[in-house]
Amino acid sequence: MHVLHHYQLSAASRFIRLVLAERDVVYLPKLEIPWERNEDFLRLNPAGDVPVMVSDNHGVIAGAMVIAEYIEESESPALLWGDIAARADIRRLVHWFEVKFANEVGTPLLSERVIKRFSGEGQPSSAVIRAALSNLNIHMQYIDWLAEQGSWLAGKQLSLADLAASAHLSVLDYLGDINWEKHPEAKTWYAKMKSRPSFRELLADQVIGLKPPAYYSNTDF
Amino acid sequence: MHVLHHYQLSAASRFIRLVLAERDVVYLPKLEIPWERNEDFLRLNPAGDVPVMVSDNHGVIAGAMVIAEYIEESESPALLWGDIAARADIRRLVHWFEVKFANEVGTPLLSERVIKRFSGEGQPSSAVIRAALSNLNIHMQYIDWLAEQGSWLAGKQLSLADLAASAHLSVLDYLGDINWEKHPEAKTWYAKMKSRPSFRELLADQVIGLKPPAYYSNTDF
């Protein structure tokens, strides 16, 4: 069986859990606390980040975008579909969330709100949190705009773009950082994502010592 | 003809220039100063980053990894080759340089040494430069180790991994930040990359007001 090393509040890990669940791929999840820098795990992935997949047939596959492309090449249905231009647009949005959104919003908020708390390393910086929340608002406007164009973020059917975006938002929603009332188009799209069977496991996540708001797991929020 | 919006000292732009030159794809380069936030350019790519390719047939393709996958699907020879495991390893290394190396080394050094200088926004921080150079040393050891395993960074032939890695190093080499004597295996591999015809254009790059060291363009350094 494939093994997936993940952390519950790692957006990139959640993205891959969705990618696997959408294809009903069975795997053994293994919890990894990335900031603990476990030596066995660093031997698997010198980058030290989750997710890492250990595939039955192909060994270690490290990094969410790499795992997503790998699964795309080996499982169906396709979530990176269409002609060469459609595929480029899906990839653009996946990279947008995995790199730009993560750098500007997700990583600083996780670091200030979660990692500093559990690792005991320093006090959260309110300046960093404020900047990340201000960036979040701009990204939410972009998601509103994308969701207004059609049912899905890229093109006319579910794609990796929807999974990446909803995975990243779901972590911030767990932390109570999203004001859905200000972003009705994004909310409609996200409600649809939350209702998918693939999302159930994410909505059941519980990190000890850090409770999500009540609406986090509610598909009618 | 394809148009490539790029900046000379953007490692991601250099990666795509190599990807195109290795396939002899003819394109029109268009210089973009990313921190000037040109409005026409932001309309093309709301992320505001270079590189962006405007393809003859498929319109705007934004982001180095997205462009690399796009060109892979439309041009030969393959630089993302082999079985599913080999492809995952090439992608892992491309992402390593495009994301991890960029975040830990390339982006802070470019920001402190180049962007602050030309944009006039603040003084370079010696603490940030010191931290980035210390990270660079760890990455160079990893490249030494990869280069020791064989002629190329991933597997037995040239791949996107070599192009991404050498593009990122070439920017730091332009800034004079690499101590090649301490990294003989990486140096042997990089000398081979520099000797490729695809590299010539990068070695001829000149940024006004910022001269590279004499050895930068020398293939026997």
Side-chain angles (χ1 to χ4, degrees):
Chain A
M1 204 191 299
H2 301 312
V3 176
L4 184 73
H5 296 262
H6 78 109
Y7 174 62
Q8 294 115 317
L9 296 182
S10 141
S13 299
R14 285 178 165 229
F15 170 39
I16 296 307
R17 289 163 69 198
L18 291 175
V19 164
L20 291 165
E22 284 286 339
R23 275 74 170 250
D24 295 319
V25 177
V26 178
Y27 65 93
L28 182 71
K30 200 165 173 313
L31 195 66
E32 200 60 57
I33 312 290
W35 61 88
E36 292 187 347
R37 302 192 66 75
N38 174 316
E39 292 213 355
D40 287 341
F41 180 65
L42 285 173
R43 265 192 291 276
L44 275 187
N45 178 24
D49 307 324
V50 283
V52 171
M53 185 167 170
V54 183
S55 142
D56 273 344
N57 310 313
H58 302 112
V60 177
I61 321 275
M65 291 183 288
V66 181
I67 299 172
E69 295 271 1
Y70 168 81
I71 296 168
E72 200 62 35
E73 293 186 351
S74 53
E75 303 283 345
S76 58
L79 292 168
L80 181 55
W81 39 255
D83 64 12
I84 196 170
R87 294 161 64 85
D89 201 46
I90 294 169
R91 284 194 176 107
R92 177 183 70 85
L93 285 170
V94 171
H95 290 241
W96 180 291
F97 287 98
E98 278 293 311
V99 181
K100 189 172 174 67
F101 184 91
N103 283 344
E104 296 178 356
V105 184
T107 305
L109 283 177
L110 192 74
S111 169
E112 298 303 321
R113 289 214 199 278
V114 179
I115 301 180
K116 279 191 175 168
R117 173 164 176 179
F118 288 125
S119 70
E121 281 176 16
Q123 289 296 309
S125 153
S126 58
V128 171
I129 292 176
R130 218 167 27 240
L133 290 177
S134 152
N135 292 338
L136 171 60
N137 193 41
I138 296 166
H139 282 277
M140 290 300 295
Q141 289 168 8
Y142 186 51
I143 298 170
D144 269 335
W145 181 84
L146 288 170
E148 230 182 293
Q149 314 303 305
S151 302
W152 307 100
L153 297 193
K156 293 200 187 306
Q157 63 186 81
L158 179 79
S159 76
L160 290 180
D162 299 287
L163 303 186
S166 58
H168 279 265
L169 289 191
S170 73
V171 173
L172 302 187
D173 203 35
Y174 189 104
L175 300 176
D177 278 330
I178 302 181
N179 182 342
W180 291 110
E181 299 321 310
K182 282 178 67 185
H183 302 286
E185 303 285 348
K187 184 182 177 181
T188 304
W189 160 82
Y190 187 65
K192 196 164 52 185
M193 293 304 296
K194 268 176 117 171
S195 307
R196 297 184 73 82
S198 63
F199 230 84
R200 265 182 222 146
E201 204 195 304
L202 268 50
L203 298 181
D205 271 346
Q206 291 283 353
V207 177
I208 295 167
L210 196 68
K211 257 175 96 81
Y215 61 79
Y216 168 73
S217 54
N218 193 340
T219 53
D220 182 23
F221 56 110
Chain B
M1 203 191 302
H2 301 312
V3 176
L4 183 73
H5 296 260
H6 77 109
Y7 174 62
Q8 294 115 319
L9 296 182
S10 141
S13 299
R14 285 178 166 228
F15 170 38
I16 296 307
R17 289 163 69 198
L18 291 175
V19 163
L20 290 166
E22 285 286 339
R23 275 74 170 249
D24 294 320
V25 177
V26 178
Y27 64 94
L28 182 71
K30 198 163 174 317
L31 195 65
E32 202 58 59
I33 312 290
W35 61 89
E36 291 186 350
R37 303 191 66 75
N38 175 315
E39 292 213 355
D40 286 341
F41 180 65
L42 285 173
R43 266 192 290 277
L44 274 187
N45 178 25
D49 307 323
V50 283
V52 170
M53 186 167 167
V54 183
S55 143
D56 273 343
N57 310 313
H58 302 110
V60 177
I61 321 273
M65 292 183 286
V66 181
I67 299 172
E69 296 270 2
Y70 168 81
I71 296 167
E72 200 63 36
E73 293 186 350
S74 54
E75 301 284 345
S76 59
L79 292 168
L80 180 56
W81 38 257
D83 63 13
I84 195 170
R87 293 162 64 84
D89 202 46
I90 294 169
R91 284 193 175 108
R92 177 183 70 86
L93 286 170
V94 171
H95 289 239
W96 180 291
F97 286 97
E98 279 292 312
V99 182
K100 189 173 174 65
F101 185 91
N103 282 345
E104 297 178 355
V105 185
T107 306
L109 283 176
L110 192 74
S111 168
E112 298 303 321
R113 290 212 197 280
V114 179
I115 300 179
K116 281 193 175 171
R117 174 166 175 176
F118 288 125
S119 70
E121 282 176 16
Q123 288 297 309
S125 153
S126 58
V128 171
I129 292 176
R130 219 166 26 240
L133 290 176
S134 154
N135 292 339
L136 171 60
N137 193 41
I138 297 167
H139 282 277
M140 290 302 294
Q141 288 167 10
Y142 185 52
I143 297 170
D144 269 335
W145 182 84
L146 288 170
E148 230 182 294
Q149 315 302 305
S151 302
W152 306 100
L153 297 192
K156 294 201 185 307
Q157 64 188 81
L158 179 80
S159 75
L160 290 180
D162 299 288
L163 302 187
S166 57
H168 280 264
L169 290 190
S170 73
V171 174
L172 302 187
D173 203 35
Y174 190 104
L175 300 176
D177 278 330
I178 301 181
N179 181 343
W180 291 107
E181 299 320 311
K182 282 177 70 186
H183 302 286
E185 303 287 348
K187 183 182 178 182
T188 304
W189 160 82
Y190 186 67
K192 197 165 50 188
M193 294 304 297
K194 268 175 115 170
S195 306
R196 297 184 73 81
S198 63
F199 230 85
R200 265 182 223 146
E201 203 196 303
L202 268 51
L203 299 180
D205 271 346
Q206 291 282 351
V207 178
I208 295 165
L210 196 69
K211 255 176 96 81
Y215 61 80
Y216 167 74
S217 55
N218 193 339
T219 54
D220 181 23
F221 55 110

